[in-house]
Amino acid sequence: MTRRTTALSAAVALAAALALTGCSSDSGKPELKVSGAYMPQPVMDMAGGFLTIQNTGDTADKLTSVTSPLSDDVTMHETKDQKMLAVKAFDIPADGELKLARGGNHLMFMELKSKPKQGDKVSIELHFEKADPITVELPVEAANHNPQQH
Ligand SMILES: [Cu+2]
């Protein structure tokens, strides 16, 4: 009797899980693509990171955290009145984009475990509220690199 009940509840749980999966694929979801990523060569033991995340899906998402072998302390900053403020997440609007650029929103890497040089690549993993994590290789550019000035 006990065994039968267990099997039955397992079946119910499985059915519920399947229903849940089916449901989420029916509704809209974010479709994210990363471009223009780079890290200016760090001059101290901290570094910034910049990239654009394009969302071609019909559902908004959020960048909730960033991890990297380069630093255990990667945060998201916005710039207000030339001051940096840590934020918990960046919004990625549906059918829109999140742009991280010099003088504005950026990633902040503290207490670097090594000092990457121009030409190196730094691996980071982006974590989202809804979408699966995305791994990005940030090419290290000159310390004063700014693609917006071209
Ligand atoms: Cu910052």
Side-chain angles (χ1 to χ4, degrees), residues 23-148:
C23 182
S24 73
S25 64
D26 281 346
S27 64
K29 58 181 167 67
E31 299 283 348
L32 306 180
K33 210 178 121 199
V34 178
S35 63
Y38 73 96
M39 170 182 285
Q41 182 175 307
V43 283
M44 292 179 292
D45 71 339
M46 55 191 230
F50 305 96
L51 48 84
T52 298
I53 301 172
Q54 212 182 6
N55 183 4
T56 53
D58 55 7
T59 302
D61 206 342
K62 278 177 200 289
L63 177 64
T64 52
S65 72
V66 179
T67 52
S68 171
L70 181 66
S71 165
D72 292 330
D73 183 8
V74 186
T75 49
M76 291 171 271
H77 281 180
E78 55 180 29
T79 309
K80 285 227 169 105
D81 301 325
Q82 310 213 347
K83 282 201 196 97
M84 302 193 299
L85 275 175
V87 294
K88 286 211 164 66
F90 281 136
D91 289 327
I92 309 169
D95 214 0
E97 64 177 22
L98 164 68
K99 200 170 178 125
L100 307 184
R102 282 184 184 271
N105 297 337
H106 57 277
L107 305 178
M108 199 89 199
F109 300 74
M110 305 298 284
E111 293 178 45
L112 304 185
K113 295 176 185 175
S114 65
K115 261 210 194 152
K117 293 250 180 337
Q118 192 173 348
D120 290 349
K121 291 233 158 110
V122 172
S123 178
I124 65 170
E125 194 172 68
L126 306 170
H127 301 264
F128 304 98
E129 189 181 62
K130 298 186 186 113
D132 292 333
I134 300 177
T135 302
V136 185
E137 302 286 324
L138 297 187
V140 179
E141 304 282 2
N144 61 357
H145 180 77
N146 189 352
Q148 287 174 313

